Amino acid sequence: MTALEKATGDVVLKFEPFVLHVLCQELQDAQLLHSVAIDSGFRNSGITVGRGGKIMMAVRSTHCLEVPLSHKGKLMVSEEYVEFLIHVANQKMEENI
C-alpha cells in the first residue's frame, strides 16, 4: 500500500497464467497434446505451424487477472480491495500448480 500511495503514474495488478510451449515433430502429436490440454481445462491452448514447418503446441490457462489500481497517481481502490485482489491472484497461482 505504501508503494501504491507513492505512485505518480498508472499502476496495474497483473497476473499472467501458466504457459507451456512444446515443439512437436508431427502435427498428429500436437493435435493429441491439444486435445489433452483442452480436456484438462487449458481452454486457451493452440497449435501454430511456422513458415519452416515447425509445429508448436502452446498449453495455456485462462486464469488471467489485470486490474488498474491507480490512475495518474490517484489511488482508485481501497486497501481492502487490494488485499482481496492479492488473495484472488494467489488462488490463481495455486490453480496453475
Side-chain angles (χ1 to χ4, degrees):
M1 286 307 297
T2 303
L4 269 176
E5 291 165 359
K6 291 180 181 179
T8 58
D10 294 352
V11 176
V12 175
L13 173 69
K14 186 173 185 179
F15 174 85
E16 294 188 359
F18 169 82
V19 177
L20 173 67
H21 291 100
V22 180
L23 183 61
C24 300
Q25 283 188 325
E26 303 289 333
L27 183 57
Q28 295 151 328
D29 299 331
Q31 290 171 325
L32 177 60
L33 181 56
H34 183 259
S35 293
V36 170
I38 296 296
D39 291 344
S40 297
F42 295 97
R43 294 183 299 270
N44 282 352
S45 299
I47 300 170
T48 304
V49 179
R51 292 183 198 180
K54 188 167 34 171
I55 302 165
M56 186 69 64
M57 169 56 205
V59 179
R60 289 187 214 113
S61 171
T62 58
H63 303 113
C64 59
L65 177 69
E66 188 169 354
V67 182
L69 302 176
S70 72
H71 179 65
K72 296 182 181 178
K74 180 181 177 192
L75 187 60
M76 305 300 288
V77 297
S78 68
E79 183 173 351
E80 180 181 9
Y81 187 65
V82 171
E83 290 172 5
F84 168 74
L85 289 174
I86 291 169
H87 176 73
V88 170
N90 285 337
Q91 283 181 320
K92 290 179 181 294
M93 181 63 80
E94 288 296 319
E95 291 175 21
N96 274 339
I97 292 170

